[in-house]
């Protein structure tokens, strides 16, 4: 594990890029001083077993940090309302599509029905229409950090990049562990935007096709460099979502370790210390941070991360997505006193090993040119077709999937409805067991995952969570047969 050293950051902070970023940020800070800027304008919690709300997708002028911008949003805010429910709860979302194009909702990571008016990504809600989503969170659903976003094939990247995403939190056992409960809980939704001077979205052609569109305005909870204050008990629980269309976040907090307590699908068995955290699109990390250094302000940085084999690609094809060579400041963590009154938890929630698989399959990930269509991203040499069933599995079985990246670009692989465990990477066993629903497969890698197909039959999808890749064909239909 890499040690964060003070010297390294002193060098970084002398760079002019960082200095000007910090200058901009301090303006925002003084303007927003009195507010708790990590907070959400709207939080909807279930009551007496029901979570019901109106959710409207709009395209209009809103406030993004200190800017006015024309963006896509749920209920006038970016990110969208944070929904919170418990296992067993009934969810009813009265959805209105006020966008000029069709859309729908996907509940990323939730283990709920994939048919009807639940997590059905094949629904098509035309402009001006309403639709009521209704489902129940299973009684045995793990606590965790999930999220909702549009999922209409061909428009997913565009609609997420416009700002459409919101958290869906399931409360449960993990939240009741005394040390976790005593920590101060904050959420951090990372998004990026590309806007012109007038605050209009830049067209995607100006961004990159190979690595997916990225914007150079990065927001944390829709703000620029918000501050997270650790209260006097000394423990912060920061729950981070990468809600970007294509951007990877390579996170590091100056002078502090992250103690990872949960991943996409819920808790780990025990905290895992890390100095850097890579979050690819769709991934979540729930970390504890101890106020155990000198009191002060520490920057949460996005470190450079190279995700294309440059030698092969040539920078021309990268469009404007030339990787940043400087760390960017995403948020600040501050505290006034050095305390560790609340200790770290030692045990969390067991992650049982899955039984041996009934079947082993391979998914080869690559890209290519398709006649009359241009650039496409492929599973097993095929581009997505809505009518074709690519993978048929039997309900209540366990399978091993071998994800093989034979191309030159990183692909975060995602499956709907069931979380999986990563067994190995190029034959090397994973250091700890965790529930995931997105896993990064780098060029040349073979990642072996084990997936239980539980409870819900029907048709759903797996895809690359670089949503431009998904829209350009890197998706497959998964049929779970009862
Ligand atoms: Cu977060 Cu199919 O997606
Ligand atoms: Cu999903
Ligand atoms: Cu991809």
């Amino acid at each position: 594990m890499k040690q964060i050293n003070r010297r390294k950051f002193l060098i970084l902070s002398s760079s002019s890029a960082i200095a000007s970023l910090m200058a901009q940020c301090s303006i925002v800070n003084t303007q927003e001083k009195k507010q708790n800027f990590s907070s959400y304008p709207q939080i909807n919690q279930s009551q007496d077993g029901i979570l019901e709300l109106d959710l409207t997708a709009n395209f209009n002028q809103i406030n993004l940090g200190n800017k006015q911008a024309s963006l896509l949003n749920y209920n006038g805010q970016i990110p969208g309302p944070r929904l919170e429910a418990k296992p067993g709860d009934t969810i009813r979302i009265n959805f209105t599509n006020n966008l000029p194009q069709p859309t729908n909702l996907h509940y990323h990571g939730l283990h709920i029905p994939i048919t009807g008016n639940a997590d059905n990504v094949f629904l098509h809600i035309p402009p001006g229409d309403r639709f009521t989503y209704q489902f129940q969170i299973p009684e045995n659903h793990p606590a965790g950090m999930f999220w909702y976003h549009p999922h209409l094939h061909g428009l997913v990247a565009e609609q997420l990049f416009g700002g459409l995403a919101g958290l869906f939190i399931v409360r449960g056992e993990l939240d009741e562990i005394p040390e976790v409960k005593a920590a101060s809980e904050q959420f951090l939704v990372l998004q990026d935007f590309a806007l012109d001077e007038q605050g209009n979205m830049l067209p995607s052609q100006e961004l990159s096709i190979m690595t997916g569109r990225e914007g150079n305005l990065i927001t944390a909870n829709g703000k620029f460099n918000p501050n997270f204050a650790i209260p006097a008990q000394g423990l912060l629980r920061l729950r981070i979502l990468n809600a970007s269309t294509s951007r990877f976040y390579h996170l590091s907090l100056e002078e502090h370790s992250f103690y990872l307590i949960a991943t996409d699908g819920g808790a780990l068995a025990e905290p895992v210390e890390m100095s850097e955290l890579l979050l690819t699109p769709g991934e979540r990390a729930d970390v504890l941070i101890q106020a155990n250094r000198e009191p002060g302000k520490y920057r949460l940085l996005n470190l450079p991360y190279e995700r294309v084999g440059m030698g092969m690609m040539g920078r021309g094809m990268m469009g404007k997505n030339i990787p940043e060579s400087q760390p960017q400041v995403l948020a600040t963590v501050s505290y006034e006193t050095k305390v560790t009154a609340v200790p770290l938890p030692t045990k969390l929630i067991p992650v049982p090993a899955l039984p041996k698989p009934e079947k082993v399959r391979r998914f080869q990930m690559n890209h290519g040119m398709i006649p009359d269509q241009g650039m496409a991203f492929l599973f097993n040499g095929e581009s997505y077709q809505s009518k074709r069933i690519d993978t048929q599995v039997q309900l209540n079985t366990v399978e091993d999937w071998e994800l093989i990246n034979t191309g030159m670009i990183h692909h975060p692989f995602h499956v709907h409805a069931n979380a999986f465990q990563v067994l190995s990477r190029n034959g090397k066993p994973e250091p700890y067991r965790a529930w995931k629903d997105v896993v990064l497969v780098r060029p040349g890698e073979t990642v072996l995952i084990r997936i239980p197909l539980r409870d819900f039959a029907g048709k759903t999808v797996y895809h690359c969570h670089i949503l431009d890749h998904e829209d350009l064909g890197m998706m497959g239909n998964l049929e779970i047969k009862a």
Side-chain angles (χ1 to χ4, degrees):
M1 214 157 283
K2 264 183 249 168
Q3 275 303 319
I4 304 174
N5 75 53
R6 174 99 189 141
R7 208 185 143 80
K8 179 168 150 201
F9 287 105
L10 286 174
I11 294 164
L12 295 176
S13 57
S14 69
S15 87
S16 60
I18 289 284
S20 71
L21 238 178
M22 290 305 285
Q24 280 174 30
C25 296
S26 64
I27 296 167
V28 179
N29 278 349
T30 39
Q31 282 170 353
E32 295 194 341
K33 200 144 225 161
K34 292 264 146 58
Q35 296 172 25
N36 174 8
F37 20 104
S38 46
S39 70
Y40 280 76
Q42 190 182 337
I43 303 167
N44 293 71
Q45 286 168 320
S46 64
Q47 253 168 14
D48 304 322
I50 296 198
L51 172 64
E52 177 160 13
L53 72 146
D54 295 333
L55 191 74
T56 304
N58 309 294
F59 177 33
N60 53 18
Q61 279 256 322
I62 68 155
N63 249 315
L64 188 73
N66 52 352
K67 288 187 193 321
Q68 281 287 314
S70 294
L71 291 168
L72 309 187
N73 57 79
Y74 293 122
N75 292 4
Q77 53 191 286
I78 288 181
R82 185 171 94 222
L83 312 185
E84 296 196 3
K86 298 191 195 76
D89 285 351
T90 295
I91 313 300
R92 196 176 305 127
I93 298 178
N94 305 307
F95 180 71
T96 306
N97 178 12
N98 277 347
L99 303 179
Q101 45 180 222
T103 191
N104 64 13
L105 290 177
H106 164 51
Y107 304 90
H108 181 132
L110 283 186
H111 182 61
I112 55 172
I114 50 184
T115 49
N117 52 0
D119 188 21
N120 180 351
V121 293
F122 304 105
L123 290 170
H124 191 276
I125 305 170
D129 266 30
R130 289 159 192 267
F131 186 83
T132 301
Y133 283 95
Q134 185 167 334
F135 52 87
Q136 196 189 9
I137 310 284
E139 292 285 355
N140 61 355
H141 200 288
M145 188 182 188
F146 309 100
W147 60 300
Y148 58 94
H149 63 76
H151 216 291
L152 202 78
H153 181 63
L155 294 174
V156 185
E158 182 178 333
Q159 293 187 357
L160 257 101
F161 201 62
L164 292 177
L167 287 171
F168 196 119
I169 302 300
V170 178
R171 297 281 177 196
E173 228 188 319
L174 173 64
D175 307 278
E176 295 306 315
I177 293 172
E179 296 86 352
V180 175
K181 199 172 185 172
S184 140
E185 183 188 52
Q186 298 283 356
F187 296 87
L188 175 57
V189 177
L190 297 170
Q191 290 168 291
D192 63 336
F193 299 89
L195 300 172
D196 66 15
E197 301 282 296
Q198 287 75 42
N200 296 311
M201 291 186 271
L202 289 172
S204 65
Q205 308 87 273
E206 292 190 20
L207 307 163
S208 170
I209 186 172
M210 286 307 281
T211 50
R213 66 194 81 187
E214 289 186 2
N216 52 16
L217 268 185
I218 302 181
T219 61
N221 300 341
K223 306 193 164 69
F224 302 115
N225 190 16
N227 179 54
F228 295 95
I230 308 186
Q233 41 75 345
L235 195 61
L236 173 67
R237 177 186 186 189
L238 195 58
R239 309 184 68 180
I240 314 167
L241 160 67
N242 180 350
S244 280
T245 312
S246 328
R247 185 180 282 280
F248 289 21
Y249 295 96
H250 184 198
L251 305 174
S252 163
L253 177 62
E254 291 176 304
E255 297 190 38
H256 293 73
S257 288
F258 299 119
Y259 293 89
L260 186 69
I261 59 167
T263 51
D264 307 337
L268 303 182
E270 54 198 19
V272 175
E273 182 180 2
M274 35 188 60
S275 59
E276 291 172 8
L277 194 59
L278 181 69
L279 270 194
T280 70
E283 282 191 295
R284 288 86 75 205
D286 193 340
V287 300
L288 296 175
I289 295 163
Q290 280 187 309
N292 57 2
R293 297 289 165 141
E294 284 311 306
K297 288 184 190 301
Y298 296 92
R299 296 174 301 167
L300 179 71
L301 297 171
N302 183 22
L303 304 178
Y305 183 78
E306 187 85 21
R307 61 190 183 93
V308 175
M310 279 305 192
M312 313 286 293
M313 298 288 307
R315 289 195 174 240
M317 287 185 82
M318 295 284 293
K320 290 191 178 155
N321 281 6
I322 293 165
E324 285 84 6
S325 52
Q326 300 289 339
Q328 301 153 293
V329 182
L330 302 180
T332 303
V333 171
S334 65
Y335 46 93
E336 280 162 16
T337 37
K338 174 179 174 172
V339 254
T340 51
V342 178
L344 292 167
T346 51
K347 286 271 162 297
L348 299 164
I349 300 189
V351 182
L354 291 165
K356 289 255 136 47
E358 265 96 343
K359 202 168 167 85
V360 181
R361 295 172 200 274
R362 314 187 122 183
F363 297 86
Q364 199 183 307
M365 306 161 89
N366 208 332
H367 46 84
M369 298 301 282
I370 290 203
D372 308 325
Q373 192 186 318
M375 181 54 89
F377 294 85
L378 315 164
F379 278 120
N380 296 332
E382 306 255 30
S383 170
Y384 181 72
Q385 271 176 30
S386 58
K387 299 233 156 56
R388 187 183 64 219
I389 299 291
D390 299 277
T391 307
Q392 234 179 28
V393 300
Q394 191 62 46
L395 183 64
N396 296 323
T397 61
V398 173
E399 296 202 351
D400 276 5
W401 290 4
E402 226 177 0
L403 314 171
I404 309 167
N405 186 346
T406 54
M408 295 172 295
I409 299 174
H410 289 52
H411 298 293
F413 179 89
H414 170 55
V415 199
H416 286 204
N418 288 287
F420 53 78
Q421 294 178 4
V422 179
L423 301 185
S424 65
R425 210 170 263 280
N426 280 346
K428 191 169 162 276
E430 280 287 279
Y432 54 91
R433 223 182 276 142
W435 289 110
K436 295 286 297 165
D437 55 51
V438 178
V439 64
L440 176 62
V441 188
R442 298 180 182 87
E445 273 185 342
T446 295
V447 174
L448 185 64
I449 65 171
R450 183 161 289 176
I451 181 165
L453 299 142
R454 288 176 181 150
D455 305 315
F456 307 113
K459 196 173 104 177
T460 189
V461 292
Y462 52 83
H463 58 89
C464 177
H465 220 290
I466 289 175
L467 296 166
D468 281 290
H469 295 177
E470 178 276 323
D471 282 338
L472 291 171
M474 205 169 208
M475 179 153 86
N477 284 323
L478 172 68
E479 189 182 20
I480 306 175
K481 299 191 71 177

